[in-house]
Amino acid sequence: MTIPTNSDSTRTEGGVDTQLLPSPVPVQLIDHHGEAHPDARYALPDPQALLAGYARLISGRRINDQANALVRQGRLAVYPSSHGQEACQVSAALVLQSQDWLFPTYRDTVAVITRGVDPLEVFTLLRGDWHSGYDPYELHVAPQATPLATQLLHAVGVAHAAKLRGEDTVVLALCGDGATSEGDFHEALNFAAVFHVPVVFFVQNNEYAISVPLKNQSVAPSLAHKAIGYGMPGERVDGNDLAALLSVLGAAVDSARSGGGPALIEAHTYRMQAHTNADDATRYRAAEDVDKWIPKDPISRLRTYLRGLSLLDDAVEEQFAAEAEAVAAAIRVGLNADVEVDPQELFAHVYTQKTAQLREQADLLRDELSREAVQS
Amino acid sequence: MTQISERAAAPVEAPARPADPSAAESTARSAATAVTFAKALNTALADAMAADSSVLMFGEDVGPLGGVFRITDGLTARFGPGRCFDTPLAEAGIMGMAVGMAMNGMRPVVEMQFDAFAYPAFEQVVSHVAKLPNRTKGRVLLPMVIRIPYAGGIGGVEHHCDSSESYYAHTPGLTVLAPATVRDAYLMLREAIASPDPVVFLEPKKLYWSKEVVDLGELRRAFEDGSAPRTIGSAVVARSGTDATLIAYGPSVPTAMAAAAAAAEEGRSLEVIDVRSLVPFDDETVCASVRRTGRAVVIAETPGFASVAAEIVARVQERCFHSLAAPVRRVTGFDIPYPAPKLEHHFLPSVDRILDTVDELQWEDGQ
Ligand SMILES: Cc1ncc(C[n+]2csc(CCOP(=O)(O)OP(=O)(O)O)c2C)c(N)n1
Ligand SMILES: [Mg+2]
């Protein structure tokens, strides 16, 4: 992956700049046996950074498990788990600086929490109190997007505005493999390339869009190959290798920050669980297919690697597990408490000032509720 | 399609002119002159961009060309390609990028080239433009304007003449405006750009080259010093009358005015209400008029079924029932796709059709 300096430079008289093409196999720095492999282009991150990342993986896995349990207990309406994709989640948050923006989807709860957003505010959506619970400006995290690929264009707009003001802001926008079939994916990549704005598009290819496998979405050599069609660099990375993700995403973010324009990164990972708890994955994929991915788990390989460096031992593992448990406990306690939602809020934010019609409707509901309160 | 654009784009007095960056300033010095609706919009954009560097204008062909209707004429030359620029041809892209820019401190104004070409952007409009402020409990506001050259009466071929207001008006979170006069074109666009809420701004194509004697410099001063009356959420009495109320907006206002003038010659006094702000809707002004006259006809150039016109009829009926001497009637287009140019006159509400409907409003004395 070579970074062009401006959006025109990819179209040359002599032909196409094939350096925009991704590597033929996904970049991997630590294999699933925990062995490191040097790469000419991507340096292995500092071991301390990997250790810190490992702690976040442990936390991320615990958050996924906790959220699934809360769905079973009826405390959350639904949870799209990122179990198995935690390395993508953690790296997406860790490569950004405070002035940068993250644009997550419904699947990226762990990324949002890793960026620092209060988990209870994140779960407002899935608990059903409101459509989004955190202030996007506080940590520069957009609301988790549900309509597929639509958020990628917002990411382009945020980056474009920042660029016009000469600000040092990079935007990292997440989407899934299925979302790359949407028109908004195409429009976002094309706009980002034409306006040469600092957006890193990060596709978590977990091989499924609900029940539909990737081969029904696209027959491109890889999703990252699509980048060259927009004149931006594409890269493929092992999505269960935190080291490779930090290095590849980090390089794309650095390049975008220094004026190199947008990039498309595809992480090869796997959705280890059903689409959500409401889905029955046995209807469309075999258990053996899932089992093949168990040895490729993002946590186990990094554990082996860090233990090999003597950076991780039982005591440190216990400490990380305790930290993760504390996060889970806070989520449990928070979500077991009922929160009052004021029904008047339904009318308060449709416009900055209530219209006459909304005032009438708000009064009607208030009246209804006060009569109910008197009766009961 | 190009043919239509060019024809519709040709101003009455002159064809596509070269960029005139000083045009907006010169109006400041001049007193009242005959100004086109298009010029008023162009001046409003220029004035808003001059007043606030976060105001941006983008869309298809809005840069050096100045838009197929020349509403953005001269803006790129005056403000530079960072402030007024062409995008790739992708309406969802334009809308979605505007959302992101509005999230991040800008006040984007986007042009959808024609009403029917705004549909690719519909998901962005409905799922994000309209809902993002509510989704975030007002933490994220979207001060953006979606300008749409809209409706028919210009002999346009298919996909160039849709009256799409009902789609937008039905979507909570959007402010929907449709000016009908040159003065309102200026003031309402300034107000739309200044609004903290997203605005769908419907520009009746057939009015682009209509003229009115106004002093744009005076309007600018009145808007900027706050003395101009606010237009969002307020309808106006465009013509006073006593016998019945014609309720119109955007392209149907001049038709209603012509009908009222014709009725006056026949001795019937019709009041005309220019709704101009479809959302928020001004029940007060509309109902006050109907209570005075006791009769009402709603006029709109759109299929009537499940339309803004249908909503107005319902609201008037609910609020003014005891003041009504006759059922509230509608004169709208038929419930058919917008017709081809040679047939559009059958579709559009005409003075005759309006007067016939007024005649049917159960006048006891058989007038
Ligand atoms: C525009 C749109 N169409 C359909 C859906 C319903 N839907 C939600 S998730 C999903 C699958 C998306 O798959 P992918 O992009 O691979 O992401 P993943 O869920 O695997 O993370 C679908 C079809 C939607 N949210 N938005
Ligand atoms: Mg997927």
Side-chain angles (χ1 to χ4, degrees):
Chain A
M1 175 170 98
T2 307
I3 310 293
T5 50
N6 67 58
S7 56
D8 295 329
S9 68
T10 63
R11 203 180 298 122
T12 54
E13 289 297 318
V16 172
D17 179 359
T18 53
Q19 295 200 303
L20 296 174
L21 286 171
S23 77
V25 292
V27 175
Q28 188 186 59
L29 299 180
I30 297 177
D31 70 18
H32 60 269
H33 303 297
E35 258 170 59
H37 300 277
D39 186 288
R41 299 150 303 161
Y42 298 103
L44 196 63
D46 170 64
Q48 286 302 331
L50 288 177
L51 186 67
Y54 179 80
R56 311 312 295 263
L57 291 184
I58 299 294
S59 238
R61 177 69 49 91
R62 187 68 192 88
I63 291 165
N64 278 326
D65 290 344
Q66 181 61 69
N68 281 331
L70 286 161
V71 176
R72 288 194 295 274
Q73 294 156 17
R75 285 288 167 183
L76 292 177
V78 67
Y79 183 66
S81 174
S82 61
H83 186 113
Q85 301 176 219
E86 289 92 347
C88 295
Q89 298 286 303
V90 165
S91 57
L94 294 185
V95 294
L96 297 179
Q97 299 180 2
S98 60
Q99 75 274 24
D100 298 337
W101 275 84
L102 181 70
F103 275 76
T105 74
Y106 52 88
R107 182 142 345 260
D108 304 315
T109 301
V110 169
V112 174
I113 294 174
T114 306
R115 176 113 169 118
V117 181
D118 178 351
L120 292 182
E121 292 183 357
V122 182
F123 283 116
T124 298
L125 166 69
L126 300 174
R127 168 198 253 191
D129 299 335
W130 201 261
H131 301 309
S132 177
Y134 51 90
D135 180 350
Y137 293 113
E138 204 175 304
L139 291 163
H140 285 190
V141 181
Q144 287 181 268
T146 304
L148 299 171
T150 55
Q151 77 283 3
L152 305 179
L153 283 162
H154 310 163
V156 172
V158 165
H160 198 160
K163 180 183 169 179
L164 287 174
R165 288 193 299 263
E167 291 165 3
D168 175 26
T169 303
V170 176
V171 183
L172 190 143
L174 292 157
C175 74
D177 48 304
T180 65
S181 301
E182 292 281 358
D184 281 13
F185 174 83
H186 156 71
E187 296 188 22
L189 268 74
N190 193 42
F191 272 54
V194 168
F195 293 114
H196 202 65
V197 295
V199 182
V200 176
F201 297 96
F202 181 30
V203 179
Q204 291 170 82
N205 171 5
N206 62 8
E207 299 201 1
Y208 281 90
I210 307 186
S211 66
V212 180
L214 180 60
K215 67 177 189 325
N216 293 18
Q217 300 289 347
S218 172
V219 294
S222 81
L223 297 175
H225 276 80
K226 295 187 175 204
I228 194 170
Y230 302 102
M232 74 170 75
E235 189 56 287
R236 316 169 65 186
V237 54
D238 179 339
N240 289 8
D241 176 1
L242 183 70
L245 283 158
L246 289 172
S247 194
V248 169
L249 286 174
V253 167
D254 288 349
S255 162
R257 196 182 310 288
S258 55
L264 170 63
I265 313 293
E266 175 188 11
H268 293 261
T269 182
Y270 196 74
R271 203 192 71 209
M272 297 300 286
Q273 299 180 342
H275 173 68
T276 67
N277 322 62
D279 174 38
D280 175 7
T282 63
R283 294 177 70 94
Y284 54 84
R285 71 179 184 188
E288 303 86 77
D289 292 341
V290 181
D291 292 345
K292 280 184 213 142
W293 280 83
I294 293 173
K296 301 184 196 170
D297 187 73
I299 296 180
S300 59
R301 75 175 70 186
L302 197 54
R303 175 184 295 130
T304 311
Y305 175 75
L306 291 169
R307 280 188 173 258
L309 292 183
S310 302
L311 282 171
L312 195 63
D313 56 20
D314 290 350
V316 178
E317 287 260 33
E318 267 168 41
Q319 181 204 325
F320 288 171
E323 284 166 15
E325 194 46 45
V327 175
I331 292 172
R332 234 174 13 246
V333 171
L335 292 189
N336 278 328
D338 279 316
V339 209
E340 286 287 322
V341 193
D342 179 3
Q344 286 297 312
E345 286 235 65
L346 290 169
F347 308 97
H349 311 290
V350 185
Y351 299 93
T352 43
Q353 296 195 324
K354 279 195 216 92
T355 61
Q357 291 76 19
L358 288 180
R359 279 199 301 274
E360 265 178 37
Q361 292 164 28
D363 288 347
L364 180 130
L365 181 61
R366 186 186 294 110
D367 200 49
E368 246 176 46
L369 292 173
S370 65
R371 275 185 281 124
E372 273 173 27
V374 170
Q375 278 163 18
S376 61
Chain B
M1 306 296 132
T2 319
Q3 261 177 340
I4 289 301
S5 319
E6 293 305 321
R7 179 142 71 89
V12 172
E13 70 279 54
R17 292 141 299 172
D20 176 9
S22 65
E25 272 99 335
S26 64
T27 55
R29 279 176 262 113
S30 71
T33 48
V35 174
T36 62
F37 197 95
K39 183 65 192 168
L41 293 171
N42 174 256
T43 308
L45 285 170
D47 289 355
M49 291 175 80
D52 179 351
S53 64
S54 70
V55 177
L56 308 174
M57 175 73 234
F58 54 92
E60 297 163 1
D61 300 295
V62 301
L65 179 68
V68 294
F69 294 105
R70 305 298 183 266
I71 306 303
T72 59
D73 188 21
L75 298 180
T76 303
R78 178 167 168 199
F79 297 100
R83 299 278 308 278
C84 176
F85 55 89
D86 293 322
T87 65
L89 267 172
E91 293 76 15
I94 294 167
M95 200 65 72
M97 185 168 76
V99 168
M101 288 180 140
M103 279 180 81
N104 195 7
M106 297 299 189
R107 301 185 96 86
V109 182
V110 299
E111 178 174 302
M112 296 284 104
Q113 198 158 64
F114 284 83
D115 34 53
F117 303 138
Y119 302 144
F122 205 60
E123 183 188 21
Q124 286 289 344
V125 173
V126 173
S127 294
H128 296 299
V129 175
K131 292 179 182 166
L132 189 53
N134 182 68
R135 182 178 302 140
T136 59
K137 292 197 175 176
R139 291 169 177 130
V140 176
L141 297 181
L142 296 178
M144 56 184 278
V145 179
I146 303 164
R147 291 186 36 243
I148 307 181
Y150 130 100
I154 60 162
V157 293
E158 201 188 3
H159 310 298
H160 294 75
C161 297
D162 279 17
S163 285
S164 44
E165 67 270 28
S166 302
Y167 305 133
Y168 302 108
H170 188 68
T171 304
L174 302 175
T175 296
V176 185
L177 307 179
T181 67
V182 172
R183 185 188 155 80
D184 274 354
Y186 180 89
L187 289 175
M188 293 179 79
L189 185 52
R190 291 296 308 266
E191 223 180 295
I193 296 170
S195 169
D197 299 316
V199 177
V200 175
F201 194 84
L202 302 167
E203 302 170 0
K205 286 189 280 283
K206 77 169 192 197
L207 301 184
Y208 271 150
W209 313 113
S210 65
K211 285 185 179 173
E212 220 174 283
V213 175
V214 296
D215 180 346
L216 285 174
E218 180 50 36
L219 286 183
R220 176 187 308 119
R221 268 189 300 283
F223 177 79
E224 289 180 359
D225 70 18
S227 62
R230 300 288 108 166
T231 58
I232 294 180
S234 97
V236 296
V237 179
R239 178 189 171 111
S240 302
T242 51
D243 298 339
T245 302
L246 303 181
I247 304 167
Y249 57 84
S252 66
V253 172
T255 318
M257 294 295 273
E265 281 175 20
E266 295 168 12
R268 190 167 274 159
S269 164
L270 301 183
E271 181 145 302
V272 178
I273 300 288
D274 175 356
V275 172
R276 73 183 176 177
S277 174
L278 309 188
V279 184
F281 186 78
D282 181 357
D283 285 306
E284 229 174 279
T285 301
V286 171
C287 291
S289 170
V290 177
R291 287 193 191 105
R292 268 195 313 273
T293 62
R295 289 176 170 83
V297 178
V298 182
I299 303 150
E301 296 191 358
T302 169
F305 189 83
S307 65
V308 168
E311 173 64 21
I312 296 174
V313 172
R315 304 187 75 80
V316 169
Q317 212 103 251
E318 282 171 349
R319 285 165 178 73
C320 311
F321 187 75
H322 292 292
S323 311
L324 288 172
V328 180
R329 293 287 304 272
R330 269 177 294 171
V331 179
T332 66
F334 302 121
D335 296 329
I336 58 173
Y338 196 85
K342 287 187 177 161
L343 297 165
E344 72 176 346
H345 62 284
H346 296 300
F347 175 90
L348 295 170
S350 61
V351 167
D352 283 347
R353 203 173 279 158
I354 294 168
L355 294 180
D356 286 349
T357 307
V358 170
D359 283 343
E360 289 162 18
L361 293 177
Q362 304 179 5
W363 308 90
E364 300 90 325
D365 54 7
Q367 278 183 63

